[in-house]
Structures are given as C-alpha cells and as structure tokens.
Amino acid sequence: MTALSRDGRTLIFVSHDLGAVETLCERALLLKHGQLVADGPAPSVVRSYLDEAQAGRVAGHSTRIQGDGLVFEDVSILDENGTPVTEVLSEMAMMVRIHYRAERRIPNPLFSVGITDGSSRPFAIASMLIDGVTPEAIEGAGTLDCQFLSLPLQARSFDVWGSVRGEAGYGDIIDWQRLCTFTVRRDEVDPGKSSLVVAMNAPVRLPYRWSSG
C-alpha cells in the first residue's frame, strides 16, 4: 500500500489500527455511528480519537467496591501538591488515595496497588505482600495513601488496579480489580512528532541513549 501511495494513486484505507492509519495516510476521516466527526491530517484526527476515548475511560468508572467486610467508598488520584486530579504530568509524583470503610476490625490487611495500560496485569505495583508495610488494623472509615514518587510514563490513559488480602497473605478481602483511571500528560512533547509515538507505544518511558562504534 505504501508503494501504491508513492506512485500517486488514491487509496481509501478503513481500519481500527491507528498506527497503520497514521503511517499510511496523509488525511483521515473519523466516523462515529456512521457520521463524520473529524476530517484532517492523519496525526491530528488520530489524536482527536485518542483524546475522546481516554476521556471516556476516565469519566466512566465508578469506584465504590464492596468486599468481604471492607468497602472502597472512593479511590482518587492526587498530584504532587495533594490536589485531586484525573490528569498528571509524566515524571512527577502521584498519590492513589483509597477511602475505605471496614465493617469489622481487620488486622494487618495487605493492600496492593498496581498500574496497568488496560489489562489486568500491572507493569508497576506497590504491594504490602512484598514490602511488609501494613496497618496494624483497620476498622470503621479511613483512608490509605500510596504515593508513586515518579511516573516515567508516556502520555496516555492508565488504570489503577488494587486488592486487599488478609494478614495470612491469602484469601482476598477485596479481589484484584480496576479501581480508577487517570491520564498522563507530557508538556515537552513536540507537536510536530507523531502522536502515536507518545500515545500508542510502550507505556513506560525509561532514560536511554544511542551510541555507535
């Protein structure tokens, strides 16, 4: 298809593969329920689609979760200033705050909080099962904060998953499940670069450099 396009032929490419759309097409049309909602350069239209899809995910999730004698009333994201947000800056600190209500005394509950890029499998996790840091007991209403000191993440939406186990380390009080969704933004992104370089590639952004010999 690339060769045909370079020969000057007109091609109509219909796909959900956003990477292919941006690679193969100069112009893109975005359809929603059969209606045209965007028409323009492929990177711009793809960015519009991703922004809308991610905003829908952030706004569309309820965080009240009922477990075995424990309820998560709300789960919120706080920025480095302690302000509740749905969007955080890459490389900055982020806090996950769990508002819970324990219907009975729960000794040494083991909380786990993970970050995923859409699946149930986390690429980063904070777990009391691993570090051994746990409240002596919880009862009634309270909050638990988990702060990630730096987010080396690409600009896109991510899910926060979590669970709680009993003090023995087995038997879920709250099953492993999605708690909330947040979006990462990078201020330094060059607007002339492909939006998919940021939005669709590997979620974690690690420092690196090239060299040749």
Side-chain angles (χ1 to χ4, degrees):
M1 291 185 65
T2 301
L4 290 173
S5 179
R6 287 173 180 168
D7 288 341
R9 304 191 186 193
T10 299
L11 302 174
I12 298 178
F13 179 58
V14 182
S15 178
H16 291 282
D17 186 337
L18 302 183
V21 169
E22 195 167 24
T23 300
L24 295 171
C25 304
E26 295 181 1
R27 175 187 173 195
L29 307 177
L30 176 60
L31 303 179
K32 186 174 184 179
H33 304 300
Q35 301 297 313
L36 179 65
V37 295
D39 177 0
S44 175
V45 174
V46 167
R47 181 72 263 168
S48 297
Y49 169 80
L50 290 169
D51 287 344
E52 181 179 353
Q54 292 176 2
R57 290 182 64 205
V58 170
H61 181 63
S62 173
T63 55
R64 190 180 191 280
I65 294 168
Q66 176 73 53
D68 179 16
L70 180 63
V71 179
F72 284 179
E73 300 284 4
D74 185 46
V75 179
S76 54
I77 301 295
L78 283 65
D79 65 14
E80 68 277 9
N81 299 315
T83 304
V85 294
T86 58
E87 182 180 84
V88 296
L89 277 173
S90 180
E91 309 295 345
M92 301 301 288
M94 180 191 79
M95 183 178 292
V96 179
R97 174 165 291 171
I98 299 172
H99 298 259
Y100 65 80
R101 179 170 48 81
E103 299 168 342
R104 54 181 172 84
R105 186 177 186 276
I106 302 175
N108 301 117
L110 297 166
F111 288 77
S112 293
V113 173
I115 300 176
T116 86
D117 59 351
S119 70
S120 63
R121 186 173 182 177
F123 58 80
I125 192 166
S127 176
M128 294 179 181
L129 284 164
I130 298 171
D131 55 48
V133 178
T134 178
E136 181 177 342
I138 59 174
E139 189 171 10
T143 62
L144 181 78
D145 293 339
C146 177
Q147 185 176 35
F148 293 91
L149 302 181
S150 178
L151 293 175
L153 303 180
Q154 301 284 26
R156 53 173 296 177
S157 64
F158 295 91
D159 291 339
V160 174
W161 284 58
S163 67
V164 184
R165 291 188 181 184
E167 61 180 333
Y170 57 84
D172 286 339
I173 297 173
I174 287 184
D175 294 333
W176 180 251
Q177 59 191 284
R178 185 161 68 98
L179 306 181
C180 64
T181 301
F182 67 97
T183 299
V184 170
R185 176 170 55 87
R186 283 176 55 198
D187 279 346
E188 76 275 18
V189 174
D190 182 348
K193 292 183 178 180
S194 166
S195 59
L196 289 181
V197 170
V198 175
M200 297 296 288
N201 283 355
V204 179
R205 182 187 177 207
L206 298 178
Y208 67 90
R209 61 186 173 193
W210 301 102
S211 63
S212 60

